[in-house]
Amino acid sequence: MAHHKSAEKRIRQTPKRTLRNRARTSTIKTAVKKAETALASGEKSAADALRAAQAEMARGVQKGVMHRNTVARKISRLTKRLKALG
């Protein structure tokens, strides 16, 4: 068990933060999957889905859930696929 006030507080905070981060990560993954399926099928809505995914990923970086280079790489690859559609 924790012996310091700060450690006790961390023990209280960690589960809440974990749930919040897990929910955000799940939302990001869902948005990316929607964008990828739209790109794979060549739909017109692919651009909208990609825009939504970019926004979610950027928010994930701001909240510290994802690393900025990872997000930059994913956005770059998705954008490349969108441009290939024409």
Side-chain angles (χ1 to χ4, degrees):
M1 206 53 213
H3 295 293
H4 297 279
K5 286 257 187 204
S6 59
E8 288 171 355
K9 186 174 179 181
R10 282 275 152 231
I11 289 169
R12 287 195 310 269
Q13 287 177 334
T14 301
K16 295 175 196 171
R17 183 162 290 125
T18 303
L19 283 174
R20 208 175 297 138
N21 288 345
R22 219 178 268 156
R24 188 166 298 284
T25 306
S26 174
T27 308
I28 291 168
K29 284 181 183 178
T30 304
V32 171
K33 280 181 192 170
K34 281 181 183 175
E36 284 176 343
T37 54
L39 286 167
S41 63
E43 294 175 13
K44 295 282 185 184
S45 64
D48 295 332
L50 178 58
R51 196 173 298 120
Q54 282 178 336
E56 281 298 330
M57 285 191 278
R59 219 169 284 129
V61 170
Q62 282 180 334
K63 300 295 182 182
V65 176
M66 294 182 77
H67 194 273
R68 62 189 171 92
N69 290 354
T70 306
V71 169
R73 182 181 68 242
K74 288 181 185 235
I75 289 174
S76 173
R77 288 177 182 174
L78 289 171
T79 306
K80 201 163 144 185
R81 283 174 60 187
L82 181 67
K83 281 190 177 182
L85 284 177

